[in-house]
Amino acid sequence: MRLRRNTKAPAPDPNVLLPPEGVPLHLSVAGMGARFGAQITDILITVIGAIALVVLLAVMNLTSPQTLWAISALLFFIIRIPYYVLTELAWNGQTIGKRMLKIKVVSRDGLSLSAHALVVRNLMKEAEIFLPGTLLLTLDTASPVASLIALGWIVGTIMVPLLNKRRQRLGDMIAGTYVIDLPTPILLKDLAQSVPKPVKDKFVFLSHQLDHYGALELQTLEDLLRAQENRPSMQTNARNKATLDSVIEKIRNKISYAEKVEPADSVAFLRAFYNAQRAHLEQKQLFGERRQDKFHADQTTKD
């Protein structure tokens, strides 16, 4: 029996955002708990704003006690849509509640958030959040049909974000957005501070030797050293040793470093060179000279 070949493409990872530049970004989809907490915070802020305006109107005798409830509901409606749209526009996808809960709205295609998308997703919030909330208060056993319809609407709006991987509600689907957790910045250990003094003294590099490389090569070397540090098992790997030897030989030939580097000192040599190269470049920046890469001198000569 001939087996059918499975040609179905794998489902895209919901936590990966692919911007137009083509470099995938790993951003966690925000959980329902964080979104709910942010929503409650924003609702409280708009309610407090509406109450403050009502109190002001009452103090100024611009409304009667009989109309306070209706005016409060109207002000709450008038305030909340501009609040959501303007804060998300001003803070790049965040309201006050989202800032407190460390989440934000992003565009599904990786482009900047447009005013149109933010208006659409927040207008739809009226049908997805505030209308079900109002219907919840009107459930009554005396009118079972109306209550069942209202209950169905409430359950439907809750189920939509629960049934898709990016937790998008209807407004997000229409606007092409979803909500992510803000990535936590992590400061890596400074490699220059972790070089022991014996290593610094063992390998000495002169200024003209350090002139051969720039910031781009320094960054590449830092990536290599961090990989060695994060995965100690690599240092016993034959292929990794060959890579280190190759890098060291290229550096030695480039800078005319005469002394031979023993295999046991491979990582120590690279760390010492990184430390010296970094100090050299930082000193040049301090005095107003900056080298982008190793081609800097050639370009200057051509000019």
Side-chain angles (χ1 to χ4, degrees):
M1 184 176 67
R2 186 177 180 181
L3 296 177
R4 291 183 61 186
R5 188 175 180 180
N6 185 11
T7 57
K8 187 176 180 181
D13 188 342
N15 294 313
V16 173
L17 176 66
L18 189 62
E21 291 81 6
V23 180
L25 301 175
H26 295 267
L27 302 167
S28 301
V29 175
M32 295 302 294
R35 295 182 66 174
F36 181 75
Q39 195 64 250
I40 293 297
T41 304
D42 291 328
I43 289 174
L44 288 175
I45 290 171
T46 50
V47 167
I48 291 172
I51 291 174
L53 287 177
V54 170
V55 171
L56 181 64
L57 292 175
V59 170
M60 297 174 67
N61 289 324
L62 295 177
T63 181
S64 63
Q66 293 78 14
T67 60
L68 279 180
W69 174 251
I71 290 177
S72 300
L74 180 62
L75 284 174
F76 179 48
F77 173 76
I78 292 174
I79 287 174
R80 66 188 177 222
I81 293 180
Y83 165 79
Y84 285 108
V85 174
L86 294 177
T87 52
E88 288 183 351
L89 275 175
W91 288 323
N92 193 24
Q94 288 187 291
T95 59
I96 295 175
K98 289 186 177 71
R99 288 172 72 89
M100 293 174 65
L101 272 295
K102 310 293 184 188
I103 60 177
K104 69 176 292 185
V105 181
V106 295
S107 176
R108 188 177 53 199
D109 55 12
L111 297 173
S112 301
L113 287 170
S114 66
H116 176 262
L118 293 178
V119 169
V120 168
R121 76 180 300 277
N122 285 302
L123 280 177
M124 282 299 295
K125 196 173 285 181
E126 295 296 317
E128 295 178 82
I129 296 174
F130 295 107
L131 177 60
T134 305
L135 292 175
L136 192 61
L137 299 175
T138 62
L139 293 180
D140 188 358
T141 54
S143 54
V145 176
S147 294
L148 283 174
I149 293 174
L151 193 60
W153 181 262
I154 294 169
V155 172
T157 55
I158 293 174
M159 293 303 293
V160 169
L162 292 178
L163 293 179
N164 67 81
K165 293 182 178 178
R166 283 186 166 169
R167 301 290 180 255
Q168 291 173 292
R169 54 181 179 81
L170 288 173
D172 285 317
M173 292 178 177
I174 296 172
T177 58
Y178 65 104
V179 183
I180 62 164
D181 286 323
L182 279 181
T184 305
I186 300 174
L187 294 178
L188 299 177
K189 184 173 66 175
D190 189 350
L191 285 180
Q193 300 296 327
S194 61
V195 180
K197 191 172 186 305
V199 173
K200 291 181 182 177
D201 297 337
K202 185 174 183 179
F203 301 106
V204 178
F205 303 95
L206 303 177
S207 179
H208 73 272
Q209 293 176 315
L210 299 172
D211 276 337
H212 287 280
Y213 288 109
L216 181 63
E217 291 80 10
L218 184 70
Q219 184 62 54
T220 305
L221 180 56
E222 181 173 337
D223 292 341
L224 176 65
L225 291 173
R226 288 198 185 281
Q228 303 293 319
E229 191 171 75
N230 296 333
R231 297 175 62 187
S233 60
M234 289 179 63
Q235 297 182 17
T236 59
N237 183 281
R239 187 175 177 182
N240 181 60
K241 285 182 178 178
T243 301
L244 293 180
D245 291 342
S246 174
V247 172
I248 290 171
E249 279 307 301
K250 285 183 179 178
I251 292 175
R252 287 183 62 235
N253 292 333
K254 185 74 177 179
I255 67 175
S256 300
Y257 190 85
E259 296 180 26
K260 188 177 180 182
V261 179
E262 298 296 330
D265 293 333
S266 297
V267 176
F269 173 84
L270 291 175
R271 294 183 71 173
F273 181 72
Y274 167 84
N275 197 30
Q277 180 73 48
R278 178 173 156 179
H280 184 68
L281 293 178
E282 288 177 347
Q283 184 184 31
K284 286 199 167 189
Q285 287 188 333
L286 187 65
F287 289 100
E289 182 182 349
R290 179 175 180 179
R291 168 170 292 201
Q292 290 292 338
D293 50 47
K294 64 183 178 183
F295 302 111
H296 174 82
D298 297 338
Q299 291 173 352
T300 305
T301 305
K302 289 178 182 176
D303 292 341

